[in-house]
Structures are given as structure tokens and as C-alpha cells.
Amino acid sequence: MSKSYRVAILGATGAVGTELLELLESRNFPIANLKLLASERSAGKTLKFKGENILVEPVTEQAFENVDIVLASAGGGTSKTWAGVAVAKGAVVIDNSSAFRMHPEVPLVVPEVNPQAAASHKGIIANPNCTTILMTLAVWPLHKIKPVKRIVAATYQSASGAGAKAMEEVKTQTRDILQGKQPVAEVLPYPLAFNLFPHNSPLTDLGYCEEELKMVNETRKIFGSQEIRITATCVRVPVLRAHSEAINLEFETPFNPDEARAILSQAPGVKLVEDWQANHFPMPIEASGRDEVLVGRIRQDISHHCGLELWLCGDQIRKGAALNAVQIAELLIEKNLLQSTTA
Ligand SMILES: NC(=O)c1ccc[n+]([C@@H]2O[C@H](COP(=O)([O-])OP(=O)(O)OC[C@H]3O[C@@H](n4cnc5c(N)ncnc54)[C@H](OP(=O)(O)O)[C@@H]3O)[C@@H](O)[C@H]2O)c1
């Protein structure tokens, strides 16, 4: 009989947590027992899993007893508080927050890119930032053929990237504006409906916001290359779900767009979407709810003979967070890097 595992979702009521629940069910993840954890605010709520109502519990130390895998998506502060507790009780934590991503002893894993990194875990594995995951899926297959020297990224990030409440806020703002009312911004710093603004993560001394530096530092860690030069401009746009990215790549030698197209059409986790006649390329609305990152508009950079331009859209709640985390859990099981409970 195949093994099954005791799983806890920390942050089960959130945007990523809800998606984790759906993925564990739709991918038929081998679950012996499922715990749903959130804050005190959610105490008493129930969530459906495989037709059953499961009670959401406020997170406590005892909640991590008899748990093999914790899928954490409750913010960096919550992960910092509870990941160590869960590991001490014998669980492996796959963390969606930024709390441990750049820790030298914590692998930062995109299963299609650097699955081997997972083997060195000491209890915590970090899921990269969503924009980084989406970008690495498209760039890694090209980088493997010809090393990329420099990446220039511009992102168009949806409201849901800031959580379930931000998604609701942009819907309310849209209704309010259409009814002639003033939009109210409480979750995001400014009204996002019919607007856009540079990413709302804190600004650093470099003038970059944290989200932009995550793309720089996390990509280098995942690719295992500190030499790649990367710069990014991250922007929040009034899209409900799925992030988009314009990516400019500079290689050592010219990269034929047709060759790049052929490589990306075979790349794991990538779907090529290019209909030049119809001017149909990846769109967030078509990426929403999908596992693959949609990539298209691959073209020669006319300003640089070794440059390539591409455009991508990906569901950042799914592949940018929940799906990547579940794939890491599946990888740990496949490679026997977890303790099993029930035979
Ligand atoms: N949204 C994305 O696209 C995305 C992508 C990649 C990574 N992430 C990361 O994933 C994490 C969750 O993001 P999200 O978008 O799902 O946020 P969200 O919709 O705001 O959900 C946050 C979840 O965390 C729980 N939580 C908050 N404070 C807590 C506490 N003190 N103790 C226990 N639980 C607590 C919330 O529970 P209550 O409902 O009880 O408040 C809720 O379940 C964040 O670290 C985020 O950076 C998000």
C-alpha cells in the first residue's frame, strides 16, 4: 500500500491557502490527515476538502504535533514564529513567505529548475517569490543552452498577489468608481481600480523595492549563479489574478528566436502562446487557474544583437505559490526525503 502523510496548511483561509487545499484534492495528494490552521480570526470557520467540512484551528504549538508536512502561507512573521516549532516536532516546512528564502541553509526550489537543491534541506524549504518562479520557468531552459548574462524585467502584478483582501478591495473600488463614489484603499496603499502604481513592498536604500530585489537575489540563488546581472521594475496593475512580465535577456552570443521558441515549446511548466497573425499572446485572463506559465512574443531585441525579448503570464497564486509548494512536497515524497507516517 502506498504511503500517506499528515499535512497541515498554515494560512489555510488565505488566497494561497485556499489554492493549496484545491491542489491537494485535485492532485490526489496522499493525505493521511489534514489540519487547517489560521489566526484566531478564523476560529470556528470550516473549509471543504474532498466533500468534508474541516474545522480551521488557530495555530498553536500543539497543532504541529503528528504532522509530516507543513505548507505555510501565512506571511513572513508567522513563518518565523512557527516554522522552527514545526521542524522541532518532526515536520518538514515548505514556506511560501520570504522569511527564509535567502537563508544559506534553506533551499529555494522551483522543481522544474533546481529540484536537486531540495535534498539538502534541514527541515525548511522555501518557495521563491511568485514573480521569480514565473520568470525562472521561462529563462532557465534558455540559460541551460546559452548562459544568460543580463536580465531586465518589468512586471505587471495582479491584486491577488497582495492576498485575498486586496482582491476584494479592487472589486469594491471598481464598483464604487462605476457608481460615481470615491474608491477607498485600506489593504493596498492607493486605489488600484482604473490605476496602477509601483509595487507596494518597502523601498530599500538602493531605490529598488523589496519585490524587485527578490527577483534579483532569488533568481541568482535558484540558478546557482551570482554572476547574472538582473534588474527589475515591479508594478501593481488592476488585474485580479495572474502576473505578467516583460523580460529582456542578453546572452553571450546571439540566440535565434526560433530556437528559443522550439526550446520553450518543450520546456516543463511552460506553454507557448503565440499567434502572430491574430496578435494573440499570453494574457492574465487566460493564465488564471492554469498550471503552466504562458510565454510568447519571443523576438530579437533590435537594440542588441545578443538580446531576446519575451512576454509571459502566470497564475501567481497557483504556480507562483501553491502549486510550486505542492510540487516540492511531491518531490520530497518521490525522492524519499520525508518521514512517512502511515504505511
Ligand atoms: N498571494 C500570492 O499571490 C502569493 C504568492 C506567493 C507567495 N505569497 C505569500 O504567501 C503568504 C500568504 O499570502 P496570501 O496571499 O495567501 O495572503 P492572505 O490571503 O492575506 O492570507 C493570509 C493567511 O495567513 C493567515 N494568518 C495571518 N496572520 C496569521 C497569524 N498571526 N497566525 C496564523 N495565521 C495567520 C490568515 O488567517 P486569517 O484568515 O485567520 O487572518 C490567512 O489564512 C504570504 O507570505 C505571501 O507573501 C503569496
Side-chain angles (χ1 to χ4, degrees):
M1 202 174 128
S2 58
K3 292 171 181 170
S4 52
Y5 301 84
R6 301 167 300 186
V7 176
I9 301 178
L10 174 56
T13 51
V16 176
T18 309
E19 200 70 16
L20 282 166
L21 202 58
E22 190 281 315
L23 282 162
L24 292 177
E25 179 162 346
S26 61
R27 291 171 77 88
N28 210 13
F29 192 89
I31 289 187
N33 183 52
L34 181 62
K35 273 188 193 179
L36 302 182
L37 308 174
S39 76
E40 291 284 352
R41 294 179 287 274
S42 298
K45 273 191 191 166
T46 58
L47 295 172
K48 269 223 161 21
F49 182 71
K50 295 194 171 173
E52 269 181 51
N53 285 321
I54 303 186
L55 193 66
V56 179
E57 302 169 41
V59 59
T60 59
E61 204 171 320
Q62 292 70 36
F64 296 107
E65 268 156 26
N66 304 315
V67 171
D68 302 304
I69 304 169
V70 176
L71 298 167
S73 63
T78 310
S79 285
K80 279 186 185 149
T81 306
W82 296 109
V85 174
V87 172
K89 289 187 183 290
V92 172
V93 176
I94 301 167
D95 185 31
N96 271 294
S97 81
S98 58
F100 304 105
R101 288 181 191 148
M102 294 311 295
H103 191 293
E105 294 200 334
V106 174
L108 185 63
V109 176
V110 180
E112 293 87 344
V113 177
N114 62 338
Q116 72 291 346
S120 65
H121 81 82
K122 296 183 169 56
I124 301 175
I125 297 182
N127 218 38
N129 162 267
C130 49
T131 46
T132 307
I133 293 179
L134 304 179
M135 182 170 80
T136 58
L137 280 178
V139 177
W140 177 251
L142 305 175
H143 177 69
K144 272 198 304 184
I145 304 293
K146 280 184 193 167
V148 67
K149 275 171 63 179
R150 180 166 184 249
I151 304 175
V152 182
T155 72
Y156 305 72
Q157 300 186 217
S158 64
S160 55
K165 289 193 179 113
M167 210 169 168
E168 287 314 306
E169 181 168 275
V170 83
K171 285 186 201 166
T172 308
Q173 289 170 351
T174 306
R175 274 192 294 267
D176 284 350
I177 291 172
L178 290 175
Q179 290 168 8
K181 296 185 208 157
Q182 278 297 316
V184 178
E186 282 168 350
V187 181
L188 289 167
Y190 305 104
L192 186 60
F194 304 102
N195 191 25
L196 56 80
F197 45 81
H199 195 275
N200 46 294
S201 55
L203 286 168
T204 68
D205 293 345
L206 292 170
Y208 283 68
C209 67
E210 286 182 0
E211 183 83 356
E212 291 160 350
L213 292 184
K214 284 174 190 173
M215 290 187 82
V216 175
N217 298 324
E218 294 182 18
T219 303
R220 287 179 172 159
K221 179 168 174 177
I222 296 162
F223 281 15
S225 165
Q226 290 306 309
E227 293 80 48
I228 302 181
R229 286 176 288 143
I230 306 172
T231 182
T233 299
C234 292
V235 177
R236 192 70 81 188
V237 296
V239 166
L240 281 180
R241 186 164 169 153
H243 290 353
S244 305
E245 302 179 23
I247 309 288
N248 179 277
L249 301 170
E250 184 190 328
F251 296 92
E252 297 280 352
T253 52
F255 210 130
N256 182 303
D258 284 335
E259 190 191 350
R261 204 167 277 122
I263 292 164
L264 288 171
S265 68
Q266 303 293 317
V270 170
K271 181 166 170 50
L272 201 63
V273 176
E274 280 198 320
D275 182 341
W276 289 87
Q277 279 199 325
N279 199 357
H280 180 220
F281 299 106
M283 288 183 273
I285 212 161
E286 291 182 354
S288 296
R290 290 191 69 133
D291 289 354
E292 309 95 334
V293 173
L294 310 183
V295 182
R297 288 202 83 210
I298 301 163
R299 60 208 190 278
Q300 167 78 50
D301 173 354
I302 55 169
S303 73
H304 196 295
H305 71 292
C306 295
L308 209 58
E309 295 276 2
L310 56 86
W311 169 254
L312 64 85
C313 297
D315 188 326
Q316 92 292 339
I317 303 181
R318 208 165 171 89
K319 181 55 191 172
L323 174 62
N324 199 70
V326 173
Q327 286 174 314
I328 293 171
E330 290 168 348
L331 177 72
L332 295 178
I333 291 170
E334 187 196 318
K335 301 287 177 202
N336 208 18
L337 297 167
L338 273 178
Q339 304 280 319
S340 72
T341 51
T342 340

